[in-house]
Structure formats: structure tokens, C-alpha cells
Amino acid sequence: MADLKWIEEQEARIPRGGVRTRFAPSPTGYMHVGNLRTALYTWLIARHSGGKFILRIEDTDRGRLVEGAVDVIYRTLAECGLDHDEGPDVGGPVAPYIQSERQGFYLKYAEWLVERGHAYYCFCEKSEDESGSFEHTEDPCRSLDPQEALRRVRSGEAYVIRQRIPREGVTVFHDEIFGDISVENCELDDQVLIKRDGLPTYNFANVVDDHMMGITHVVRGSEYLSSAPKYNLLYEGFGWEIPKYVHCSPVMRDQHNKMSKRHGDPSYEDLIAEGYLTEAVLNYVALLGWSPEGEREIYSLGELAQEFDISRISKSPAIFDIEKLTHFNSEYIRAMSPEDFARVAEPYIRQAVKNPALDAALIAQILQARCEKLTDIPEKLDFLDALPDYDTELYVHKKSKTDKPGCLDVLRRILPVFTSLAAWDAESIMAAMTDMAAADGVKNAKVMWPVRIAISGKAVTPGGAVEIARILGREETCARITQGIAKLAAEA
Ligand code: GLU
């Protein structure tokens, strides 16, 4: 007999009133772009309406458990600012929030469903097969006398519990994105709800949990769309209110293929390791399948929460475009405060610049407008720790109207000026060079070009002579100019 008192107690625990959404990842060890988008939309729907966002870990597939995988989920959500109101780590009114800790619940509900006539005990050998290939119309256990079935259960016979799908009629369910979908009941199989070991199948646990947790909007990938009619029949069988379904179309690599980690498509962690900013990834991912009104594309998380509207989620699959993400990323980098940029850039700067005397914040200033991804940084700074060996042909530059003898002359004259500058700051270094150009009656480039080549040894650098000299400091700048003079003099 079903434990009705216990069921009543559970019903009484269910929070009611506001919007409650849940992100229900299975711990796989990484966060797919598609999963991140589901988490984001789920969070946005809750936040948009002042509701609750719940984290539930769906770890029923014990065979696929990955060590540390739950931490990846916590870390990613926290990094992205998708804070949860209830979950395994923070608790909540309908704990526990980890499916493996809820195993005691499902059999009780399944027994109740049997009593309500929407499920039945099945003793057939082939019941081990949960794949759904079983023909319910042929299952002899479907028509067993309930008392007889109970007697066999009590006598210790092995059984599974199957859903009793009506043989006739049509099940219609509504999805917020896909509209009304109807399925002939005869196409649905009497799926297993409780396995021989007494544990639930994934589909059953999912429905029971969503109900017990008072979920109002079930947001998930459209691969679950085909399970929805059976879910609906379960809700109806229990007499429970059906939540709103929000099935999101997949994120694709191209027209025909879903993004997949196995095929080398990046996960959220991969993108971060490739130098993308979390905020840029989130903003881009938000627009993969959802479009705000108007042309605007750059949105903070808070702004997204205000704007987000389920009716603007698209039915069509979205294609992940790394170039577009890169564009978003550079926009985000440019929009950061210099202090924030310096903070995120520093680890990348230190990959290339080991000399602690060189100031990372100062270096960050020359990079902010010049990189699209943080991983662009190290290769741009390969001349700071040590002057690379360079060809004196670099001194010859048409546009700046420079030649080697002219450069040698400029370097010889600027060296004592630099040595005796009262202060080593941007204004003084700049003035030293522009004053010399003015006195010579030439363009500034004629002085700055040779200085920049001498101190960097490269034709292209982030930042010009002033910024680089300032970063290197007076001593190193003058040492490099002295080296340049020696190089050019040796050829003269
Ligand atoms: N645990 C499922 C997954 O990670 C989620 C299914 C759902 O949200 O209903 O794909």
C-alpha cells in the first residue's frame, strides 16, 4: 500500500506561489556550451520574474560518474554569476538536491501510481530491458489482477514497475517554444519507472523531482521533447499540475551537426582557457537562440535578466560562431576599466614577462585596445624581458622617412637627453622626442621610429616608443639604445 501520509507530508513541503526553475545537470566533468545556455536561460527566467533558481544534480547514472564533476558545475555557475537559491551546497526547503540522495522517494510514488491505476507491476523476464522496445500491448502483466500482482510482489518475486499508457487516444502537450504537440498514445511504450533493483529510471525520477520541488518551468534541451508526452501522462496519472515546458533547440557546430565535445568543439572551460572572458561568453551564449527587441547586442547579465522573455526564444537551432564570440570578447575587453583589465591580463602578461621589475598594470595599458582574446597577450610581449636579436634593416622605414645613418644620429643624440631627463614619465619621454624633432624640423616619426626599433627590436609592437620606454624604465631603455648605436655604428 502506498504511504499516503508520507505523500501528504511531501506535498505540504512544496513551495508554491512564485516561479521556480531548476538547472538539472548530470555531472559529466565539463560544461557544454548548450548546457551553459540552458543554465543561463533557466536562471534568467527565474530572475526575470523574481522567482527561485534551483540546482539539482542528476547523478542517477552511476556508471557515468566523473570524479570532481559536481565541482565543475558549482564553479562554472559561480564564475558566471548564475547564483542558485537552493541546491546541494546551500540547502533549501525541498532537500536533498542530489538525485542519488533521493532514492528512497521514487518507489513510494511509483506504488501510489500503481494504486491509482496508471502503472503496474511487471514480472516478465524481458522487463530487464528498459529501452522501450517492449510492446505494451503484448505485456501480460498489464492485465494482471492488482491483488494477484501485489501478492507476487510480497512473496519476493522480482519485478519492475511500468507506466500504464492508455492504448487509445492522443496526448497533447504544450511547449512554450514549440506550441502544441500531439502524439498518438499507441506510439508510446509502457516505459519502466522502477527497475528490478528498486531504483528509478531517469525519466521517472525527473518527473517526481520536478513535482516535489515545485518546479513551474522545466527548461531543457529539445532532445527531451519526445519524452514530454509520457511525462504529461505521469503528471496526469498523479493528478499533479503540469509545469510549463521550455525546450530549447540545440547549439550547432554547423548546419548539420550539434556541437560536441567529442568532436573537438569547445566547452565553457575550453573557451575560458582560450582567453575568452566569462561575461563575453555569457552574453554571446544568451543570443544563441534568443533575440532581444532591437539591434543591440551587448548586455550585462543584469540587463539580460530584465529583458529576457520566453516568447523570443527561437525554435530553430543556433549555430555557434567563434568569430562572432571573438568580436564580443574584444568589445568586452575594450569596455573594461583599466584596473579590471590589468587584473585579468596579468597572468597572461606574466607568461611572457618574468622580470618582476616590469609593471604588469603599465603593460596592460598598451594591450587593452590591441587584443581580442587574453591568449593573444604573451606573443605580443616577447621583446620585454630581453631585446631580441634584430636586423638593422628595421631602421629603414619609408613612411617615417628613416635610414640607417639618420637613425644612428638620432639615437646618439637622444641617449644623453634620456639619461638626464628629470622624470621618467610619459610626458617627459614624449617631450624629449618631439622637442628633438621640432628642433630638427622633421616629423616626430623620424625620432620615434629609431627609438622604438632600438628598444623593441621589432617592426610591430603593442604601444609606441613612449609607452615601451616607460615600461622598460630608464636604465633598460638607455642600455638598449646604446646597443642600437653599437649595431648601427658597426655597419657605418
Ligand atoms: N540531466 C539532464 C541533462 O543533463 C537534464 C534533463 C532535464 O533538464 O530535464 O541533460
Side-chain angles (χ1 to χ4, degrees), residues 22 24-26 35 38 56 58 202 206 210 218-221 223-224 231:
R22 77 341 183 236
S26 305
N35 267 354
T38 302
R56 178 172 79 226
E58 300 207 321
Y202 171 73
N206 186 277
D210 281 343
V218 170
V219 187
R220 61 174 162 230
E223 67 271 26
Y224 291 95
Y231 286 8

Side-chain angles (χ1 to χ4, degrees), residues 294-349:
E295 296 296 303
R296 181 174 160 200
E297 289 191 314
I298 303 290
Y299 285 90
S300 69
L301 193 56
E303 290 167 337
L304 285 172
Q306 264 182 2
E307 296 283 316
F308 199 78
D309 173 359
I310 297 177
S311 69
R312 301 188 67 89
I313 299 180
S314 165
K315 250 193 249 188
S316 3
I319 297 184
F320 180 82
D321 177 356
I322 194 91
E323 309 251 311
K324 182 97 200 234
L325 172 60
T326 306
H327 165 73
F328 269 72
N329 207 57
S330 48
E331 296 271 320
Y332 268 85
I333 287 181
R334 311 263 183 290
M336 287 172 102
S337 71
E339 297 73 32
D340 283 347
F341 178 71
R343 190 176 40 76
V344 297
E346 179 152 9
Y348 295 87
I349 293 173

Side-chain angles (χ1 to χ4, degrees), residues 454-471:
I455 64 180
S456 71
K458 291 181 76 171
V460 181
T461 51
V466 176
E467 288 104 327
I468 296 170
R470 191 157 164 244
I471 290 165

Side-chain angles (χ1 to χ4, degrees), residues 107-359:
L107 180 60
K108 293 182 174 149
Y109 274 103
E111 286 170 345
W112 188 39
L113 199 64
V114 171
E115 282 182 24
R116 294 174 66 90
H118 297 280
Y120 60 93
Y121 295 104
C122 174
F123 305 93
C124 302
E125 279 300 314
K126 50 198 159 197
S127 286
E128 274 300 289
D129 174 15
E130 296 152 30
S131 65
S133 56
F134 193 89
E135 286 289 326
H136 62 78
T137 45
E138 291 165 20
D139 190 335
C141 300
R142 199 178 143 106
S143 50
L144 270 185
D145 170 54
Q147 293 309 318
E148 166 67 5
L150 262 186
R151 193 194 54 72
R152 287 172 69 174
V153 167
R154 288 197 185 119
S155 74
E157 212 176 310
Y159 66 90
V160 301
I161 297 182
R162 286 183 179 278
Q163 185 173 0
R164 185 191 298 275
I165 304 270
R167 287 190 186 154
E168 273 140 32
V170 173
T171 296
V172 182
F173 73 95
H174 182 77
D175 183 86
E176 299 297 309
I177 320 277
F178 290 86
D180 281 341
I181 299 184
S182 33
V183 182
E184 299 279 341
N185 288 338
C186 61
E187 284 172 19
L188 306 173
D189 67 313
D190 283 6
Q191 65 175 341
V192 173
L193 306 177
I194 298 287
K195 300 180 280 186
R196 280 189 177 215
D197 57 9
L199 296 180
T201 53
Y202 171 73
N203 281 341
F204 187 58
N206 186 277
V207 166
V208 170
D209 286 345
D210 281 343
H211 172 72
M212 291 180 84
M213 294 183 174
I215 301 304
T216 58
H217 295 66
V218 170
V219 187
R220 61 174 162 230
S222 58
E223 67 271 26
Y224 291 95
L225 205 52
S226 59
S227 307
K230 286 193 239 174
Y231 286 8
N232 257 29
L233 290 170
L234 282 175
Y235 283 106
E236 282 167 7
F238 279 119
W240 292 340
E241 193 180 331
I242 297 168
K244 283 193 178 0
Y245 293 119
V246 183
H247 286 97
C248 304
S249 286
V251 180
M252 311 284 285
R253 173 186 350 151
D254 53 38
Q255 291 290 345
H256 306 288
N257 300 290
K258 260 189 174 190
M259 270 183 102
S260 106
K261 174 94 178 142
R262 227 175 328 126
H263 291 104
D265 294 319
S267 63
Y268 166 76
E269 303 84 83
D270 294 333
L271 291 172
I272 299 307
E274 285 169 26
Y276 292 96
L277 299 170
T278 296
E279 293 78 6
V281 173
L282 273 182
N283 190 159
Y284 176 64
V285 162
L287 301 183
L288 279 175
W290 174 79
S291 50
E293 265 179 83
E295 296 296 303
R296 181 174 160 200
E297 289 191 314
I298 303 290
Y299 285 90
S300 69
L301 193 56
E303 290 167 337
L304 285 172
Q306 264 182 2
E307 296 283 316
F308 199 78
D309 173 359
I310 297 177
S311 69
R312 301 188 67 89
I313 299 180
S314 165
K315 250 193 249 188
S316 3
I319 297 184
F320 180 82
D321 177 356
I322 194 91
E323 309 251 311
K324 182 97 200 234
L325 172 60
T326 306
H327 165 73
F328 269 72
N329 207 57
S330 48
E331 296 271 320
Y332 268 85
I333 287 181
R334 311 263 183 290
M336 287 172 102
S337 71
E339 297 73 32
D340 283 347
F341 178 71
R343 190 176 40 76
V344 297
E346 179 152 9
Y348 295 87
I349 293 173
R350 288 296 169 210
Q351 280 174 24
V353 181
K354 306 286 182 205
N355 179 355
L358 302 188
D359 181 359

Side-chain angles (χ1 to χ4, degrees), residues 337-414:
S337 71
E339 297 73 32
D340 283 347
F341 178 71
R343 190 176 40 76
V344 297
E346 179 152 9
Y348 295 87
I349 293 173
R350 288 296 169 210
Q351 280 174 24
V353 181
K354 306 286 182 205
N355 179 355
L358 302 188
D359 181 359
L362 215 50
I363 299 173
Q365 285 177 17
I366 61 171
L367 294 166
Q368 190 164 2
R370 297 180 174 88
C371 58
E372 296 188 303
K373 296 181 290 180
L374 298 173
T375 40
D376 295 343
I377 292 176
E379 64 179 22
K380 292 189 191 291
L381 303 177
D382 56 0
F383 61 95
L384 286 178
D385 269 359
L387 179 66
D389 192 21
Y390 64 92
D391 190 334
T392 52
E393 283 308 314
L394 284 182
Y395 283 107
V396 185
H397 188 237
K398 247 197 174 146
K399 211 172 141 223
S400 311
K401 298 206 170 69
T402 55
D403 57 16
K404 292 189 202 179
C407 287
L408 177 58
D409 177 57
V410 165
L411 294 182
R412 276 182 169 145
R413 287 189 294 131
I414 202 76

